[in-house]
PDB file of all heavy atoms in Angstrom:
ATOM      1  N   TYR A 218      68.099 -84.170 120.842  1.00  0.00           N
ATOM      2  CA  TYR A 218      67.231 -85.221 121.357  1.00  0.00           C
ATOM      3  C   TYR A 218      67.998 -86.177 122.279  1.00  0.00           C
ATOM      4  O   TYR A 218      67.439 -86.684 123.264  1.00  0.00           O
ATOM      5  CB  TYR A 218      66.576 -85.985 120.209  1.00  0.00           C
ATOM      6  CG  TYR A 218      65.369 -85.281 119.614  1.00  0.00           C
ATOM      7  CD1 TYR A 218      64.753 -85.746 118.464  1.00  0.00           C
ATOM      8  CD2 TYR A 218      64.836 -84.145 120.225  1.00  0.00           C
ATOM      9  CE1 TYR A 218      63.640 -85.108 117.923  1.00  0.00           C
ATOM     10  CE2 TYR A 218      63.736 -83.496 119.687  1.00  0.00           C
ATOM     11  CZ  TYR A 218      63.142 -83.989 118.538  1.00  0.00           C
ATOM     12  OH  TYR A 218      62.053 -83.346 118.025  1.00  0.00           O
ATOM     13  N   ARG A 219      69.260 -86.445 121.976  1.00  0.00           N
ATOM     14  CA  ARG A 219      70.061 -87.273 122.881  1.00  0.00           C
ATOM     15  C   ARG A 219      70.185 -86.601 124.246  1.00  0.00           C
ATOM     16  O   ARG A 219      70.119 -87.260 125.294  1.00  0.00           O
ATOM     17  CB  ARG A 219      71.460 -87.528 122.300  1.00  0.00           C
ATOM     18  CG  ARG A 219      71.495 -88.517 121.153  1.00  0.00           C
ATOM     19  CD  ARG A 219      72.876 -89.105 120.950  1.00  0.00           C
ATOM     20  NE  ARG A 219      73.887 -88.100 120.668  1.00  0.00           N
ATOM     21  CZ  ARG A 219      74.168 -87.630 119.448  1.00  0.00           C
ATOM     22  NH1 ARG A 219      73.489 -88.086 118.401  1.00  0.00           N
ATOM     23  NH2 ARG A 219      75.121 -86.742 119.270  1.00  0.00           N
ATOM     24  N   LYS A 220      70.358 -85.281 124.254  1.00  0.00           N
ATOM     25  CA  LYS A 220      70.481 -84.556 125.512  1.00  0.00           C
ATOM     26  C   LYS A 220      69.146 -84.495 126.251  1.00  0.00           C
ATOM     27  O   LYS A 220      69.106 -84.515 127.482  1.00  0.00           O
ATOM     28  CB  LYS A 220      71.027 -83.155 125.251  1.00  0.00           C
ATOM     29  CG  LYS A 220      72.478 -83.157 124.810  1.00  0.00           C
ATOM     30  CD  LYS A 220      73.385 -83.799 125.851  1.00  0.00           C
ATOM     31  CE  LYS A 220      74.818 -83.888 125.434  1.00  0.00           C
ATOM     32  NZ  LYS A 220      75.677 -84.507 126.483  1.00  0.00           N
ATOM     33  N   LEU A 221      68.047 -84.432 125.508  1.00  0.00           N
ATOM     34  CA  LEU A 221      66.742 -84.497 126.170  1.00  0.00           C
ATOM     35  C   LEU A 221      66.572 -85.844 126.874  1.00  0.00           C
ATOM     36  O   LEU A 221      66.100 -85.902 128.014  1.00  0.00           O
ATOM     37  CB  LEU A 221      65.612 -84.289 125.161  1.00  0.00           C
ATOM     38  CG  LEU A 221      65.433 -82.895 124.564  1.00  0.00           C
ATOM     39  CD1 LEU A 221      64.149 -82.847 123.738  1.00  0.00           C
ATOM     40  CD2 LEU A 221      65.430 -81.806 125.622  1.00  0.00           C
ATOM     41  N   ASP A 222      66.945 -86.918 126.198  1.00  0.00           N
ATOM     42  CA  ASP A 222      66.865 -88.236 126.819  1.00  0.00           C
ATOM     43  C   ASP A 222      67.726 -88.313 128.076  1.00  0.00           C
ATOM     44  O   ASP A 222      67.361 -88.953 129.065  1.00  0.00           O
ATOM     45  CB  ASP A 222      67.297 -89.320 125.834  1.00  0.00           C
ATOM     46  CG  ASP A 222      66.227 -89.631 124.797  1.00  0.00           C
ATOM     47  OD1 ASP A 222      65.047 -89.313 125.053  1.00  0.00           O
ATOM     48  OD2 ASP A 222      66.568 -90.188 123.743  1.00  0.00           O
ATOM     49  N   GLU A 223      68.864 -87.658 128.049  1.00  0.00           N
ATOM     50  CA  GLU A 223      69.800 -87.697 129.171  1.00  0.00           C
ATOM     51  C   GLU A 223      69.300 -86.888 130.360  1.00  0.00           C
ATOM     52  O   GLU A 223      69.411 -87.324 131.510  1.00  0.00           O
ATOM     53  CB  GLU A 223      71.164 -87.168 128.712  1.00  0.00           C
ATOM     54  CG  GLU A 223      72.241 -87.158 129.778  1.00  0.00           C
ATOM     55  CD  GLU A 223      73.566 -86.624 129.258  1.00  0.00           C
ATOM     56  OE1 GLU A 223      73.760 -86.574 128.024  1.00  0.00           O
ATOM     57  OE2 GLU A 223      74.418 -86.256 130.103  1.00  0.00           O
ATOM     58  N   HIS A 224      68.757 -85.697 130.088  1.00  0.00           N
ATOM     59  CA  HIS A 224      68.418 -84.774 131.172  1.00  0.00           C
ATOM     60  C   HIS A 224      66.921 -84.629 131.434  1.00  0.00           C
ATOM     61  O   HIS A 224      66.522 -84.236 132.533  1.00  0.00           O
ATOM     62  CB  HIS A 224      68.995 -83.394 130.874  1.00  0.00           C
ATOM     63  CG  HIS A 224      70.489 -83.368 130.785  1.00  0.00           C
ATOM     64  ND1 HIS A 224      71.297 -83.540 131.882  1.00  0.00           N
ATOM     65  CD2 HIS A 224      71.316 -83.194 129.715  1.00  0.00           C
ATOM     66  CE1 HIS A 224      72.573 -83.467 131.506  1.00  0.00           C
ATOM     67  NE2 HIS A 224      72.604 -83.263 130.210  1.00  0.00           N
ATOM     68  N   PHE A 225      66.097 -84.907 130.426  1.00  0.00           N
ATOM     69  CA  PHE A 225      64.642 -84.722 130.556  1.00  0.00           C
ATOM     70  C   PHE A 225      63.934 -85.951 129.986  1.00  0.00           C
ATOM     71  O   PHE A 225      63.308 -85.880 128.911  1.00  0.00           O
ATOM     72  CB  PHE A 225      64.198 -83.459 129.804  1.00  0.00           C
ATOM     73  CG  PHE A 225      64.961 -82.216 130.174  1.00  0.00           C
ATOM     74  CD1 PHE A 225      66.022 -81.779 129.386  1.00  0.00           C
ATOM     75  CD2 PHE A 225      64.614 -81.479 131.292  1.00  0.00           C
ATOM     76  CE1 PHE A 225      66.736 -80.630 129.708  1.00  0.00           C
ATOM     77  CE2 PHE A 225      65.314 -80.326 131.622  1.00  0.00           C
ATOM     78  CZ  PHE A 225      66.378 -79.904 130.838  1.00  0.00           C
ATOM     79  N   PRO A 226      64.023 -87.096 130.651  1.00  0.00           N
ATOM     80  CA  PRO A 226      63.438 -88.336 130.116  1.00  0.00           C
ATOM     81  C   PRO A 226      61.968 -88.167 129.743  1.00  0.00           C
ATOM     82  O   PRO A 226      61.176 -87.611 130.507  1.00  0.00           O
ATOM     83  CB  PRO A 226      63.610 -89.325 131.281  1.00  0.00           C
ATOM     84  CG  PRO A 226      64.776 -88.790 132.068  1.00  0.00           C
ATOM     85  CD  PRO A 226      64.668 -87.293 131.965  1.00  0.00           C
TER      86      PRO A 226
END
Side-chain angles (χ1 to χ4, degrees):
Y218 279 172
R219 286 201 301 273
K220 291 301 177 179
L221 290 188
D222 284 340
E223 180 180 342
H224 298 290
F225 307 98

